[in-house]
């Protein structure tokens, strides 16, 4: 089975606790029949190290560290390649911007990364967030610790199309990409697929503040209309994706998804993560860009707050036409 990804990058931030994430990356690469590169990304020596070391000693230590890391990588690549063909590379002191430029230069179409967060109460560290905001391809962030069985995959969709006309087609395409990715992950993991959409009529914080008066009957009618609108749109979306996937898989494969829909009334910044947690999500596929009609416009408040509340793996998807704010490696700065 050939999936959507052809060139996958797995990023390690240390030469420890890597077995699960590399094994996971190889599983994904095998499913997609993709090329897989393992990048060991190490911090440089502390900025003040050159103040306490002679310049030649500083350079010698840096070069020795890089040489040792490359020797380690060569050994690991030989071991990993017995299971699945991989290539390896080492970067010392590479910034998040330089990592994204590497991704651009090598035409990577999926990044799998072990979380930089130093505790289990949050999923993402600062480098993770930079990639989720600015990396042009999907980013799959996996928390530290043993990989759980991905028995439930959540596709978090924004089915609100009450935006300027030029944005609506982009939003629909992004929802299709999210649902498509989630379906592929669910099939790869033999997991059930939960589709989550959270909608509201008037934001709770405005109502609670008493800034407007609302006719309860009118609001109930509005909510019913919104629910119907979103349900119809979701059914259209599911029908399109089912037709696409049926053409790729054997008959009866789609039944394995055990698909369920969750249309929830509430405040999206709170309820997306809460609903994902309530249905037992082991991974969440979601969009990570704010105003889709603005090239390079990075993460919005809903995505940011949702990520802060999740502790399970997340696959962040960019919309078609997204332009990273990072300057491509072959472009000249103006």
């Amino acid at each position: 089975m050939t999936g959507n990804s052809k060139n996958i990058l797995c990023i390690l931030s240390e030469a420890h606790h890597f077995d699960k994430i590399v094994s996971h990356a190889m599983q994904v690469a095998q499913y997609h029949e993709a090329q897989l590169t393992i990048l060991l990304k190490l911090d440089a020596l502390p900025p003040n190290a050159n103040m306490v070391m002679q310049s030649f000693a500083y350079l010698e230590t840096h070069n020795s560290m890089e040489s040792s890391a490359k020797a380690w990588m060569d050994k690991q690549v030989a071991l990993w390649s017995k299971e699945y063909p991989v290539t390896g590379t080492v970067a010392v002191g590479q910034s998040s911007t330089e990592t994204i430029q590497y991704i651009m230069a090598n035409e990577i179409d999926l990044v799998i990364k072990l979380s930089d967060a130093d505790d289990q109460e949050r999923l993402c560290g600062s480098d993770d967030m930079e990639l989720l905001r600015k990396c042009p391809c999907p980013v799959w962030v996996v928390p530290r610790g043993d990989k759980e069985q991905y028995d439930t995959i959540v596709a978090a969709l924004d089915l609100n199309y009450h935006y300027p006309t030029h944005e609506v087609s982009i939003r629909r395409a992004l929802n299709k990409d999210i649902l498509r990715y989630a379906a592929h992950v669910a099939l790869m993991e033999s997991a059930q697929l939960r589709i989550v959409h959270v909608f509201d009529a008037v934001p709770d914080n405005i109502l609670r503040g008493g800034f407007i008066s609302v006719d309860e009957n009118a609001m109930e009618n509005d909510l019913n209309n919104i629910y119907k609108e979103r349900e119809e749109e979701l059914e259209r979306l599911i029908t399109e994706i089912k037709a696409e996937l049926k053409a790729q898989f054997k008959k009866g494969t789609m039944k394995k998804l055990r698909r369920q829909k969750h249309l929830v009334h509430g405040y999206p910044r709170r309820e997306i993560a809460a609903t994902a947690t309530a249905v037992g999500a082991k991974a969440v596929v979601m969009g990570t860009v704010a105003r889709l009609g603005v090239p390079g416009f990075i993460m919005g408040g809903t995505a940011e707050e949702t990520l802060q509340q999740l502790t399970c793996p997340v696959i962040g998807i960019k919309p078609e036409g997204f332009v990273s704010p990072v300057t491509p490696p072959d472009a000249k700065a103006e």
Side-chain angles (χ1 to χ4, degrees), residues 7 45 63 69 73 82 90 100 126 140 160 165 168 177 187 196 202 208 214 228 265 288 290-291 302 317 326:
N7 196 3
L45 293 172
N63 292 338
M73 177 59 77
K82 293 178 181 179
V90 172
I100 293 171
S126 58
W140 191 332
N160 179 8
T165 304
V168 173
D177 284 342
L187 290 170
V196 171
V202 180
R208 287 196 304 268
V214 176
K228 182 180 179 181
H265 171 227
T288 59
R291 290 296 304 281
T302 298
I317 308 292
V326 173

Side-chain angles (χ1 to χ4, degrees), residues 54-65:
Q54 294 178 329
S55 59
F56 68 86
Y58 178 88
L59 290 174
E60 184 178 348
T61 303
H62 175 92
N63 292 338
S64 176
M65 179 174 66

Side-chain angles (χ1 to χ4, degrees), residues 48-183:
N48 63 342
N50 59 354
M51 297 176 62
V52 296
M53 304 170 92
Q54 294 178 329
S55 59
F56 68 86
Y58 178 88
L59 290 174
E60 184 178 348
T61 303
H62 175 92
N63 292 338
S64 176
M65 179 174 66
E66 187 170 17
S67 177
S68 296
K70 288 180 177 177
W72 177 89
M73 177 59 77
D74 289 342
K75 180 180 178 181
Q76 288 301 135
V77 164
L79 292 173
W80 291 326
S81 294
K82 293 178 181 179
E83 297 183 42
Y84 189 84
V86 304
T87 57
T89 186
V90 172
V92 178
Q94 186 181 75
S95 67
S96 296
T97 295
E98 290 169 332
T99 300
I100 293 171
Q101 289 177 329
Y102 174 91
I103 290 165
M104 292 173 171
N106 290 276
E107 299 182 340
I108 302 297
D109 53 26
L110 173 62
V111 173
I112 299 175
K113 187 180 186 302
L114 192 64
S115 169
D116 282 334
D118 53 9
D119 62 65
Q120 296 183 350
E121 297 300 318
R122 60 193 180 101
L123 171 65
C124 297
S126 58
D127 282 356
D128 305 321
M129 293 300 291
E130 281 293 286
L131 287 176
L132 286 164
R133 291 180 182 118
K134 301 176 182 179
C135 180
C137 69
V139 177
W140 191 332
V141 181
V142 180
R144 293 175 180 272
D146 291 343
K147 173 183 176 290
E148 294 185 72
Q149 176 62 38
Y150 283 19
D151 54 19
T152 303
I153 308 300
V154 164
L157 305 180
D158 180 2
L159 300 169
N160 179 8
Y161 296 149
H162 296 277
Y163 287 91
T165 304
H166 68 278
E167 289 194 23
V168 173
S169 61
I170 301 174
R171 288 180 175 273
R172 284 199 172 109
L174 177 59
N175 280 324
K176 286 186 70 173
D177 284 342
I178 291 169
L179 189 52
R180 184 185 298 110
Y181 256 89

Side-chain angles (χ1 to χ4, degrees), residues 258-270:
R258 294 164 286 155
R259 184 184 71 250
Q260 292 188 41
K261 299 179 294 183
H262 302 269
L263 274 69
V264 179
H265 171 227
Y267 189 42
R269 295 190 183 198
R270 179 175 61 243

Side-chain angles (χ1 to χ4, degrees), residues 34-46:
Q35 298 180 23
L36 176 60
T37 301
I38 311 295
L39 168 64
L40 177 61
K41 183 174 177 287
L42 299 176
D43 290 337
L45 293 172

